[in-house]
Amino acid sequence: MLRVVKHVQGPFLLRNAACLSTAALPLPKTDVQPHFKKIFINNEWHDAVSGKTFPTINPSTGEKICDVAEGGKPDIDLAVKAARDAFKLGSPWRIMDASERGVLLNRLADLIERDRVYLASLETLDNGKPYQMSYFADVALTVKCLRYYAGWADKIQGKVIPIEGNHLCWTRHEPVGVCGQIIPWNFPLLMQAWKLGPALAAGNTIVMKLAEQTPLTGLYVAQLAVEAGFPAGVLNVVPGYGPTAGAALSEHMDVDKVAFTGSTEVGHLVAQAAAHSNLKRTTLELGGKSPNIVFADADIAHAVETSHFGVFFNMGQCCCAGTRIFVEGKIYDEFVERSVERAKMRNVGDPFDPNNEQGPQIDESQFKKVLEYINIGKNEGAKLLIGGNRSGDKGYFIQPTIFANVKDQMKFAREEIFGPVQQILRFDKMDDLWERANDSMYGLAASVFTKDLDKAMMFAQNVRAGTVWINMYDNFDAAAPFGGYKMSGHGREKGEYALEEYTEVKCVMVKVPQKNS
Amino acid sequence: METAVPPPIINPEIKFTQIFINNEWVNSVSGRTFPTVNPVTEKVICHIQEGDKADVDKAVAAATAAFEIGSPWRRMDAAQRAILLHKLGDLIMRDQTYIASLESLDNGKPYKGAFNLDVPFGVKQVRYFAGWADKLTGKTIPVPGDYFCYTRAEPVGVVGAIAPWNFPFGIALQKIAPALAAGCVVVLKPSEQTSLTALYLASLIKEVGFPPGVVNIVPGYGPTAGAAICEHHDVDKVSFTGSTAVGKIIMAASGKSNLKGVSLELGGKSPNIVFADADLDYAALMSHHALFFNMGQCCVSGSRTYVQEEIYDEFVKKSIDYAKKRTIGDPFDLSVENGPQIDSTQFKKILGLIESGKQQGAKLECGGGRHGDKGYFIENTVFSNVTDDMCIAKEEIFGPVQQILKFKTIDDVIKRANNTQYGLAAAVFTKDIDKAFAVAHSVKAGTVWVNSYLAADPSAPFGGFKMSGIGREGGEDGIREFCEIKTVVVKVPQKNS
């Protein structure tokens, strides 16, 4: 509810993120309390079978927010059974009109919109991202994603195919079945929506494991699903750890599909577990080291600002962050200088303070890893221009950091840092530019800044990346597909494409007395 | 699914009787009005501003301006169009009782049906097509040579929508919803017999916040306002539902003017084929509803019921029972199934065709005349021993008159079923899998029902073969008819796959 509203302005709000509006930002609930801390199965709340709990930490302070039930294999087993029962032929979910699934998804979107201030505040508390981002980006995009997929529910169509002979042939696009979904901590609500949307639209049932760092908003949404009217067992949500709950889901013999978003390292484990168990279908959204190419003919102010956003957004905790910036020699020094000036303006601190663009990193482990990479960068000879240290002395804050004179083969230029560290490389000729951009085991996103039509077209064509942005960055419209080439993953989320990942095609052929065209 | 129906508003207040252009209410340029009549009492309900060419010109100008590049409507995100459409759906449900009451008053259809079917049908159209708004994708195509080729699915532009009187509210939305979802702008002419719910809809469109000029509504007559739309050089497409005779005029008008795209949903004389192995009770009941629903005023009415000879007599008996039991009376009475026919023209035409049936030798089993002495009520009428050459077997009656014909073999009945200028719908009742598919695939009809009738949804394409129409409404195919494909080809330095 809007009590008092405050106008917030700043260049970062008015550009870049797909849905940001210039509407006023309602005050956050700075004293926000989590309501749901247990395991959600069959529309009910349960303690863990083991009775164990784990703490979720506020990364701004390093202090515990609360304890949450710790789901392990026994809880996953119960959740999978509930999801399987809800998927049985003749169940309320299986006999429901497709259009009614759309109605339920729209209702869930309405409820999230109703509780937007609460959810945005809770997200900021648990994740540390600035509240204006939680409000204007995370929750808003979550609502749009669910509405987008609500519209698809009754439009998932098979075909009728003119095969040879006296036959009638058609395909049914059926739900895959019980889907395990393992989501990360960087955009908890939004990643949940990216997975729920297509899976539910297509008629699947779900067992979702939330990231242990950020379980709170995902559990609240589970209760909203009850309020929206989803039948029991359709959605089940289990907070817990990867090696226990996540592994149990990936290895489960009665789970038809697993979708994972997280690190490439864990992606390997999920894929192997799927293969060793029951060959469940997989989609993987993994890491990236996305190239961002800035030509001399680009609008340099726009390129600087957008490249800054592309790497620093969400404390650098974006799989698609533009972390290898190739700047044409002619404008290199100017670009670097302007980037440093921009980074100086980036305020780091309490995410509930609208003057701060940057909150803390998610936890101590990530915090240490980022600082480690900064050290590696220094040792490898890159030139540190600004930042490079912890910010403040409480919580996991890191200063916005920029390195220039970065070389392609430096370890820290090839590995994913996942922090507020901008790396600026140089190019002087185009001959090997595409090779350099593609010289990575990753292939998640890429961008180019140029006014030249041919350069733009060639880059879009030649770069091996799932999303290519031209004179822009970080657009996450629900209708556009997103996913990785190479070791950034396989499969696509969002758009119509995601539906394929949650659909099993059945072909039916019927003998008929006489086929006529 | 039927739910408990709230009591109707017997004398709903008539709030809107003017022409709706640019989100404003205006009088006709000529100053003329026309009456709309209550078919139960034969009395005038109210007078409505009568739109003519001058009013259509204003409406088209408003729509054209609202469609200019750079306009709020053209700049709006597709997902936002969907949000507006969903809001419209919400408002319609808010006013469900009022709209259903107004529809019953103006059309004569039973209020219970207006509440449970007509209004929700309109809302389903809105919600289904809202879901398509941000999903009308183009393609990228690997053409030969050093090119990058893509297509855009652009809105076709100014849509002239001409709605009929049998489902005024529902069919108006059947046209408006996909047009708006696709980004088009609309000039709607409701049928002169039933303008009231369309005008109320206009007020909801304004309340939702569609930009001015996106939807304009011009009540009036076909030969004047309707013709003006069809002949207008700035209307990009016409979508018409009505009689085949008028459909021909509209297509000719398009040819004469600017070759505007034309989609036509016209008449039918749909064959409903019942085999001896069908579930007889179920088939007789479904066949009864297939004909008598909406007082027989359905383009897809199963108006040639072909029954296999082995079960013919029993089928006729059951059909007579159902017809006699079907209640006729005040549409605001929740127990009544049939109201009056729409107006005196239809009323006379139906009685005339009933006479022809008697004269040409069909056996009148029940009904056959006027019901009561006020209002355009006609008795539920059943003819048996009908043969293909009779007028009642060839011409669209659009009234509560069931024709039951006899057939022997499947090959014979398929030939007879197809022996018509129409081709809107068809049905087959059988338990046999081979017969079901053989009929479904051989009959020339846009919709074929197997062991069912009247099952329809905005998600499934609907339309006619032959002179039952051109184009399809509903489904992805239907909304694509409101799109114009633009192909863009860009030269690139070197194409790679």
Side-chain angles (χ1 to χ4, degrees):
Chain A
M1 192 172 3
L2 296 186
R3 287 186 318 236
V4 180
V5 142
K6 182 178 167 177
H7 257 281
V8 181
Q9 281 164 10
F12 56 89
L13 268 187
L14 300 182
R15 315 191 204 193
N16 295 313
C19 67
L20 294 191
S21 79
T22 52
L25 176 70
L27 287 181
K29 281 178 71 65
T30 47
D31 62 343
V32 63
Q33 294 297 319
H35 292 312
F36 302 100
K37 309 169 214 173
K38 294 196 188 186
I39 297 172
F40 180 78
I41 298 178
N42 265 334
N43 281 8
E44 286 166 351
W45 296 98
H46 305 264
D47 291 314
V49 167
S50 66
K52 278 160 66 176
T53 64
F54 69 99
T56 184
I57 307 293
N58 177 346
S60 300
T61 60
E63 284 158 18
K64 180 169 87 170
I65 300 171
C66 64
D67 290 305
V68 176
E70 186 190 328
K73 186 176 183 319
D75 309 281
I76 292 289
D77 285 344
L78 289 172
V80 170
K81 174 149 197 331
R84 177 60 63 198
D85 285 345
F87 192 72
K88 281 199 161 70
L89 288 170
S91 72
W93 188 237
R94 293 301 295 277
I95 67 172
M96 188 182 286
D97 288 338
S99 52
E100 184 63 20
R101 297 200 299 263
V103 169
L104 296 184
L105 275 165
N106 262 323
R107 237 183 252 156
L108 181 59
D110 290 342
L111 295 174
I112 291 173
E113 203 164 36
R114 178 194 69 189
D115 298 341
R116 190 172 176 187
V117 169
Y118 172 79
L119 278 165
S121 305
L122 190 61
E123 190 87 307
T124 288
L125 181 75
D126 206 8
N127 169 284
K129 60 178 71 208
Y131 169 74
Q132 65 267 24
M133 284 299 160
S134 297
Y135 186 86
F136 279 130
D138 296 64
V139 178
L141 286 172
T142 293
V143 169
K144 285 185 191 216
C145 176
L146 293 174
R147 292 204 194 292
Y148 175 79
Y149 281 107
W152 268 119
D154 57 359
K155 300 170 180 64
I156 298 173
Q157 302 170 156
K159 302 175 194 287
V160 173
I161 303 164
I163 63 174
E164 295 185 357
N166 290 322
H167 304 107
L168 165 65
C169 172
W170 72 80
T171 58
R172 283 173 52 85
H173 284 205
E174 301 188 349
V176 172
V178 174
C179 298
Q181 302 185 318
I182 302 171
I183 65 170
W185 47 257
N186 57 345
F187 294 89
L189 274 170
L190 186 57
M191 293 298 100
Q192 181 181 50
W194 281 19
K195 295 208 171 355
L196 293 189
L200 295 175
N204 296 280
T205 58
I206 296 171
V207 175
M208 176 175 282
K209 186 200 92 61
L210 307 176
E212 60 272 24
Q213 297 88 338
T214 51
L216 299 179
T217 49
L219 291 174
Y220 186 83
V221 168
Q223 186 61 32
L224 293 184
V226 178
E227 199 182 334
F230 284 90
V234 169
L235 174 63
N236 306 277
V237 182
V238 181
Y241 289 92
T244 47
L249 204 45
S250 307
E251 293 162 0
H252 207 291
M253 295 299 289
D254 204 22
V255 166
D256 299 296
K257 179 221 165 66
V258 68
F260 169 78
T261 298
S263 68
T264 294
E265 185 192 348
V266 176
H268 282 285
L269 299 177
V270 171
Q272 286 171 82
H276 286 143
S277 54
N278 64 343
L279 291 175
K280 56 175 65 61
R281 290 97 180 86
T282 58
T283 50
L284 305 174
E285 297 279 351
L286 309 176
K289 193 77 181 183
S290 302
N292 172 4
I293 301 185
V294 183
F295 282 97
D297 68 14
D299 173 337
I300 194 169
H302 176 69
V304 166
E305 176 64 33
T306 310
S307 303
H308 173 88
F309 186 87
V311 79
F312 288 105
F313 177 53
N314 211 43
M315 290 63 73
Q317 298 167 147
C318 261
C319 45
C320 54
T323 44
R324 283 184 294 148
I325 307 179
F326 293 90
V327 179
E328 192 169 358
K330 285 196 204 105
I331 56 162
Y332 188 82
D333 293 336
E334 187 186 353
F335 185 95
V336 169
E337 202 182 297
R338 288 201 194 210
S339 297
V340 170
E341 287 312 302
R342 179 56 180 92
K344 285 183 184 156
M345 284 165 55
R346 190 173 192 82
N347 295 332
V348 181
D350 173 15
F352 283 106
D353 180 344
N355 292 312
N356 291 328
E357 270 185 287
Q358 185 172 314
Q361 307 312 116
I362 188 64
D363 62 13
E364 190 176 6
S365 151
Q366 286 295 313
F367 173 75
K368 285 188 174 140
K369 179 177 153 205
V370 174
L371 291 175
E372 165 92 20
Y373 271 114
I374 290 173
N375 262 340
I376 291 173
K378 286 182 198 162
N379 292 337
E380 290 186 298
K383 186 171 167 200
L384 177 66
L385 295 170
I386 184 175
N389 293 308
R390 179 183 203 177
S391 173
D393 52 16
K394 202 161 93 141
Y396 310 119
F397 298 88
I398 294 180
Q399 297 167 339
T401 300
I402 301 183
F403 283 94
N405 296 352
V406 177
K407 299 286 185 272
D408 296 25
Q409 297 311 317
M410 289 177 179
K411 179 177 146 88
F412 93 133
R414 303 185 69 76
E415 294 178 13
E416 189 178 41
I417 300 176
F418 230 60
V421 183
Q422 187 174 39
Q423 295 155 298
I424 310 181
L425 302 87
R426 181 189 176 115
F427 76 93
D428 288 284
K429 51 190 171 66
M430 274 183 61
D431 297 19
D432 60 352
L433 188 54
W434 310 143
E435 282 86 63
R436 290 175 69 189
N438 287 334
D439 180 22
S440 169
M441 69 179 196
Y442 293 116
L444 191 52
S447 70
V448 63
F449 289 84
T450 178
K451 292 205 181 98
D452 184 273
L453 179 64
D454 284 351
K455 288 200 186 89
M457 293 280 104
M458 290 305 285
F459 180 73
Q461 177 189 262
N462 295 346
V463 73
R464 302 284 290 170
T467 297
V468 180
W469 286 300
I470 300 176
N471 293 329
M472 57 188 284
Y473 212 90
D474 274 346
N475 179 301
F476 302 115
D477 197 287
F482 180 88
Y485 280 49
K486 306 190 284 188
M487 290 178 76
S488 286
H490 55 250
R492 290 293 177 268
E493 294 199 288
K494 303 195 290 105
E496 182 179 4
Y497 295 84
L499 294 171
E500 290 168 29
E501 317 283 358
Y502 287 98
T503 295
E504 194 80 48
V505 176
K506 171 187 287 173
C507 182
V508 181
M509 296 183 187
V510 182
K511 172 118 179 46
V512 294
Q514 185 194 75
K515 178 268 315 295
N516 283 267
S517 65
Chain B
M1 191 191 76
E2 282 196 11
T3 51
V5 173
I9 303 168
I10 311 261
N11 280 313
E13 186 196 340
I14 312 300
K15 302 180 190 179
F16 304 102
T17 57
Q18 292 175 287
I19 297 171
F20 183 76
I21 297 178
N22 266 333
N23 282 6
E24 284 164 4
W25 297 102
V26 294
N27 288 337
S28 63
V29 168
S30 67
R32 289 201 310 271
T33 64
F34 70 99
T36 189
V37 173
N38 179 341
V40 171
T41 61
E42 300 179 45
K43 294 208 168 31
V44 171
I45 300 170
C46 64
H47 284 84
I48 297 173
Q49 295 296 316
E50 186 193 328
D52 203 323
K53 184 177 181 316
D55 309 281
V56 167
D57 285 345
K58 282 165 64 183
V60 172
T64 302
F67 193 71
E68 289 288 324
I69 290 283
S71 71
W73 187 238
R74 293 303 292 277
R75 297 280 298 116
M76 189 181 286
D77 288 333
Q80 181 61 23
R81 296 201 300 263
I83 287 178
L84 295 184
L85 279 165
H86 275 294
K87 268 202 202 125
L88 181 63
D90 292 342
L91 295 182
I92 293 171
M93 289 310 287
R94 177 194 70 189
D95 299 340
Q96 186 178 11
T97 302
Y98 172 78
I99 295 170
S101 304
L102 191 61
E103 189 87 309
S104 266
L105 180 76
D106 206 7
N107 170 283
K109 63 174 70 206
Y111 162 78
K112 188 167 166 192
F115 185 89
N116 276 330
L117 299 169
D118 292 64
V119 176
F121 173 78
V123 172
K124 277 195 204 159
Q125 296 284 340
V126 168
R127 296 212 190 286
Y128 174 78
F129 286 111
W132 271 117
D134 55 1
K135 300 172 180 65
L136 291 171
T137 51
K139 302 177 196 289
T140 61
I141 302 163
V143 298
D146 288 325
Y147 300 105
F148 167 62
C149 173
Y150 66 97
T151 61
R152 283 169 52 86
E154 300 190 353
V156 83
V158 177
V159 172
I162 301 176
W165 48 256
N166 57 345
F167 297 91
F169 189 71
I171 296 183
L173 282 167
Q174 190 174 37
K175 296 182 190 315
I176 291 175
L180 295 181
C184 297
V185 291
V186 177
V187 174
L188 170 78
K189 187 199 91 59
S191 186
E192 60 272 22
Q193 295 90 338
T194 50
S195 314
L196 297 179
T197 48
L199 292 175
Y200 187 75
L201 178 67
S203 75
L204 297 183
I205 281 165
K206 181 173 176 170
E207 191 181 340
V208 164
F210 284 92
V214 169
V215 178
N216 308 276
I217 302 189
V218 182
Y221 291 93
T224 47
I229 289 173
C230 297
E231 291 162 9
H232 205 293
H233 279 264
D234 288 337
V235 168
D236 300 295
K237 175 196 163 76
V238 144
S239 174
F240 168 78
T241 297
S243 70
T244 294
V246 174
K248 292 167 95 171
I249 296 173
I250 288 177
M251 192 162 173
S254 160
K256 201 176 90 175
S257 58
N258 66 341
L259 295 174
K260 56 175 65 58
V262 163
S263 65
L264 306 172
E265 297 280 350
L266 309 176
K269 193 72 183 181
S270 301
N272 174 10
I273 300 170
V274 184
F275 283 92
D277 69 9
D279 176 333
L280 182 52
D281 286 330
Y282 175 74
L285 178 61
M286 293 304 291
S287 303
H288 167 80
H289 285 299
L291 191 290
F292 289 96
F293 176 59
N294 210 43
M295 291 67 74
Q297 298 168 146
C298 259
C299 44
V300 294
S301 249
S303 46
R304 285 183 293 152
T305 311
Y306 287 97
V307 181
Q308 204 160 27
E309 55 183 7
E310 295 93 308
I311 54 163
Y312 186 83
D313 293 336
E314 218 193 319
F315 186 97
V316 169
K317 242 171 42 169
K318 288 185 193 288
S319 302
I320 296 166
D321 267 344
Y322 283 125
K324 283 182 171 161
K325 282 204 203 88
R326 192 179 186 84
T327 53
I328 305 175
D330 172 14
F332 286 109
D333 178 339
L334 296 185
S335 70
V336 154
E337 290 168 275
N338 264 21
Q341 308 310 119
I342 187 66
D343 63 12
S344 72
T345 307
Q346 287 297 312
F347 176 77
K348 287 183 188 137
K349 175 181 157 203
I350 297 162
L351 290 176
L353 280 160
I354 290 175
E355 278 315 301
S356 80
K358 291 176 193 167
Q359 274 159 37
Q360 291 184 323
K363 181 173 177 211
L364 180 66
E365 298 277 5
C366 65
R370 183 181 203 179
H371 170 92
D373 54 15
K374 198 160 93 148
Y376 308 120
F377 295 90
I378 293 183
E379 292 175 319
N380 296 317
T381 300
V382 176
F383 280 106
S384 65
N385 292 352
V386 177
T387 54
D388 291 8
D389 53 318
M390 295 176 183
C391 285
I392 55 172
K394 294 204 294 210
E395 292 176 39
E396 188 178 40
I397 302 176
F398 232 61
V401 185
Q402 185 175 33
Q403 285 67 238
I404 310 182
L405 305 90
K406 195 183 292 189
F407 79 92
K408 268 197 171 64
T409 67
I410 184 173
D411 289 335
D412 171 46
V413 76
I414 287 174
K415 276 204 194 74
R416 290 166 67 189
N418 284 335
N419 184 21
T420 167
Q421 62 175 332
Y422 293 114
L424 191 53
V428 57
F429 287 85
T430 177
K431 290 195 181 113
D432 184 275
I433 188 173
D434 287 344
K435 287 204 191 79
F437 287 126
V439 172
H441 300 175
S442 331
V443 76
K444 291 203 184 103
T447 297
V448 181
W449 285 294
V450 177
N451 293 328
S452 60
Y453 212 96
L454 289 178
D457 189 79
S459 57
F462 175 85
F465 280 48
K466 304 192 286 187
M467 291 180 79
S468 284
I470 293 174
R472 291 293 178 268
E473 293 193 296
E476 182 178 8
D477 297 294
I479 190 172
R480 290 270 176 190
E481 296 198 8
F482 290 97
C483 299
E484 190 87 52
I485 299 178
K486 171 186 287 175
T487 299
V488 181
V489 184
V490 181
K491 173 111 179 52
V492 294
Q494 184 195 70
K495 179 268 315 295
N496 283 265
S497 64

